[in-house]
Amino acid sequence: MKVENFIYEYRLKNIFQNVNFYFEDCQLNFILGENGIGKTTILDCIANVDEAKDDSFLGFPNNWEIAYLAQENGFNVGLTASEIICFVKQLEGNVQLEVPNIIEEILHFKFIDLTIEERKLLLIYLNTMVDRELYLFDDPEKYLRLSYSQMVFEWLRQLVDLGKTVIVATNRLDNIFDTDNVNYIKNNQEVLADSYLKIKGRMAF
Amino acid sequence: MKFENDLAIFKVQLKIAFKDKFYFVYTLIVPIFMIFINKTQDFQDNESLYIYWSYIVVTTVFNGFLLNIIRLRESGFFKTLTYLMGSKYSIVLSNLFVQVVIIQLEILLFNLIVFLFIIKVSLMTFIYGFLATFLATFLVSAMLSGALLIRIRKSTFNLFCGIFFILGIALLGSRPSGVIEYVQTVLNPFQLIYGLYIFPCSTVGFQILMMLCVCGYLLIGAMMFKNISIKQKLK
């Protein structure tokens, strides 16, 4: 899956000018960059949010083959975690991952009573439950302590083991392995795409 | 779109709607309270109920459908849910059908209370209320869906909603006539739905206006529905 010569303007501002992205199939891929540099924009385009995808996007699956966890999710309802999981289980196609202990512990709590961290974990878990070809996660580590974000990446790597492609947009380096494919957005004209081992020497964080 | 996904989202949205009890205070308890206050006034026929039905339909659609979709979208969860479901249309439609169920129950309950404590409501009125309310719900949803396009500050939007709501109810009570009635029917959702309920006993001119309004707003609603954005719009 790749994006070639991508140009994107928003309110007369050039977000991207002729940049390329490259994503490995059945791998954990990262879009790395500072806040506000356009990570959500590229994820929205990949997911074709509001028909934003154009001819620059090659090899990406259709919308119904994509799971996409947005950065913010104010899902303030009185349903319990268990009821929400039950709802997702009723949807067509599920991935049979083992229910993590942290999720087991919060099953009987109402979503609105969960901490912001628990809510985030539950939402990430829900997105790993559905059977899709491509999984997009926008800043999944936000609000999570390091140990929890490491656990989340274990879930994501389990998806990869099942032959799924995962793309994570983040500004944190904690959970990237040297072998992971990284697209580092340096600026609106330059995106470095390669394994993290090769990229990190050229990054200017 | 898969039927099992549609059914799952419908069931979960119905469960969410029934868990929010406060919502029924101003969509059902308020009109019941008001009809008891007004029962000493001239309350001779079943048509007097239409104004209350109009209030129930508009407030329920406004809070349960429009504000619910806007809240979902502005919180970012509309995007996530769309991809979990595989379609944004399932979410919007199931929400709308949940409101249809709730409104039908509210109007049935309201009519029963009126029947038991105020005046005899004919079986025909029960049936008419049930049937006309389907169209009323879709019509007001289509009319209010224009708000999904608004791109303003959240605080301004909340203020706008408050003014719109209070003004709409106040004007509904004014019972205008002539051109003012026509203008209000086109612009005020409360008046539009009231106009729909009194359609069979209206003048030919008013009936033509109502038919144009129904066709126009349903067309606008269909266009809004097709192009509904899942990204945040309010600043």
Side-chain angles (χ1 to χ4, degrees):
Chain A
M1 299 172 200
K2 58 185 177 180
V3 184
E4 285 182 345
N5 304 318
F6 181 50
I7 300 169
Y8 192 89
E9 277 187 21
Y10 183 69
R11 290 183 183 164
L12 302 175
K13 191 183 164 196
N14 279 322
I15 308 292
F16 292 115
Q17 271 186 311
N18 272 317
V19 292
N20 301 318
F21 291 84
Y22 176 76
F23 304 100
E24 292 276 4
D25 287 351
C26 312
Q27 291 289 324
L28 182 55
N29 297 272
F30 287 86
I31 297 172
L32 196 59
E34 292 171 14
N35 286 339
I37 205 157
K39 298 190 294 294
T40 302
T41 301
I42 191 76
L43 286 186
D44 279 354
C45 292
I46 289 171
N48 201 19
V49 169
D50 293 348
E51 277 75 48
K53 193 153 76 177
D54 62 22
D55 296 341
S56 316
F57 291 77
L58 304 168
F60 291 96
N62 289 318
N63 287 19
W64 56 87
E65 278 301 337
I66 297 175
Y68 183 7
L69 179 71
Q71 196 176 100
E72 301 292 340
N73 288 279
F75 180 47
N76 295 322
V77 291
L79 298 180
T80 61
S82 169
E83 286 172 319
I84 297 169
I85 289 174
C86 182
F87 155 65
V88 176
K89 277 185 179 167
Q90 288 171 37
L91 301 178
E92 189 210 15
N94 270 216
V95 174
Q96 298 299 320
L97 292 182
E98 196 182 330
V99 182
N101 287 341
I102 182 75
I103 301 295
E104 292 268 19
E105 285 166 17
I106 60 169
L107 276 182
H108 302 294
F109 290 97
K110 285 183 178 173
F111 190 83
I112 44 173
D113 295 333
L114 298 178
T115 63
I116 199 163
E117 207 174 27
E118 289 167 336
R119 289 180 190 194
K120 185 86 184 201
L121 284 171
L122 179 61
L123 286 164
I124 294 170
Y125 177 67
L126 293 176
N127 275 269
T128 61
M129 281 175 66
V130 289
D131 189 9
R132 298 286 192 273
E133 209 173 303
L134 175 64
Y135 295 77
L136 307 175
F137 292 90
D138 193 355
D139 212 351
E141 296 149 297
K142 196 176 181 182
Y143 307 123
L144 297 185
R145 70 188 79 167
L146 183 61
S147 59
Y148 282 173
S149 72
Q150 286 171 337
M151 181 175 62
V152 162
F153 276 88
E154 280 173 23
W155 303 349
L156 304 188
R157 289 182 196 281
Q158 280 179 41
L159 286 175
V160 170
D161 291 342
L162 293 170
K164 310 295 184 185
T165 306
V166 180
I167 301 176
V168 173
T170 184
N171 55 10
R172 283 166 60 172
L173 308 172
D174 309 316
N175 295 295
I176 311 178
F177 294 174
D178 282 348
T179 49
D180 289 331
N181 181 54
V182 170
N183 287 264
Y184 169 52
I185 307 173
K186 205 166 180 182
N187 53 52
N188 67 347
Q189 295 172 6
E190 194 177 1
V191 174
L192 309 176
D194 212 326
S195 68
Y196 182 51
L197 183 68
K198 290 180 181 169
I199 290 285
K200 63 183 170 186
R202 296 156 67 192
M203 281 168 49
F205 265 112
Chain B
M1 256 190 261
K2 298 284 178 188
F3 180 69
E4 59 198 286
N5 289 11
D6 298 338
L7 191 64
I9 188 77
F10 176 78
K11 284 196 287 189
V12 85
Q13 296 218 46
L14 198 63
K15 202 181 267 186
I16 292 168
F18 280 112
K19 284 202 176 193
D20 187 6
K21 307 279 190 307
F22 178 71
Y23 169 84
F24 294 103
V25 171
Y26 50 96
T27 58
L28 183 62
I29 307 296
V30 167
I32 290 174
F33 181 71
M34 289 306 294
I35 205 163
F36 275 100
I37 287 178
N38 294 334
K39 78 172 187 181
T40 50
Q41 293 175 13
D42 191 18
F43 217 103
Q44 291 177 347
D45 52 45
N46 289 175
E47 282 171 32
S48 314
L49 297 178
Y50 297 165
I51 203 160
Y52 297 94
W53 291 358
S54 161
Y55 173 88
I56 291 170
V57 171
V58 179
T59 50
T60 307
V61 168
F62 187 77
N63 291 289
F65 176 69
L66 183 73
L67 291 190
N68 198 11
I69 293 288
I70 289 175
R71 270 195 292 261
L72 200 65
R73 188 178 69 183
E74 296 312 312
S75 71
F77 192 63
F78 194 21
K79 199 195 275 182
T80 301
L81 191 58
T82 294
Y83 287 90
L84 277 176
M85 291 291 306
S87 162
K88 60 184 176 183
Y89 302 118
S90 293
I91 303 164
V92 180
L93 273 182
S94 65
N95 195 310
L96 186 58
F97 287 132
V98 165
Q99 300 318 310
V100 170
V101 172
I102 288 173
I103 289 168
Q104 291 291 7
L105 287 175
E106 284 178 332
I107 288 186
L108 178 69
L109 207 61
F110 178 82
N111 291 348
L112 280 174
I113 287 171
V114 172
F115 177 76
L116 292 173
F117 299 104
I118 299 174
I119 53 163
K120 196 168 182 180
V121 179
S122 67
L123 180 64
M124 201 49 137
T125 306
F126 272 97
I127 295 169
Y128 177 66
F130 174 74
L131 295 176
T133 297
F134 283 105
L135 181 58
T137 307
F138 290 120
L139 179 61
V140 78
S141 306
M143 184 186 190
L144 295 177
S145 63
L148 293 168
L149 287 182
I150 296 173
R151 276 175 173 267
I152 49 174
R153 285 178 185 278
K154 277 181 190 168
S155 53
T156 316
F157 181 78
N158 292 338
L159 183 72
F160 170 77
C161 287
I163 292 171
F164 170 79
F165 212 68
I166 293 165
L167 204 67
I169 295 170
L171 290 173
L172 178 64
S174 68
R175 302 286 186 100
S177 57
V179 180
I180 299 173
E181 184 189 10
Y182 282 37
V183 173
Q184 272 204 36
T185 302
V186 175
L187 300 177
N188 181 359
F190 292 94
Q191 194 72 39
L192 179 76
I193 299 307
Y194 178 67
L196 187 75
Y197 282 127
I198 59 164
F199 183 87
C201 40
S202 306
T203 61
V204 175
F206 189 81
Q207 286 182 340
I208 291 170
L209 176 80
M210 277 309 301
M211 283 191 281
L212 289 174
C213 282
V214 169
C215 294
Y217 281 126
L218 288 181
L219 201 65
I220 291 170
M223 276 157 45
M224 295 288 171
F225 172 70
K226 189 172 177 289
N227 299 309
I228 187 170
S229 169
I230 62 172
K231 283 165 96 170
Q232 283 130 314
K233 289 276 175 204
L234 301 182
K235 294 169 193 167

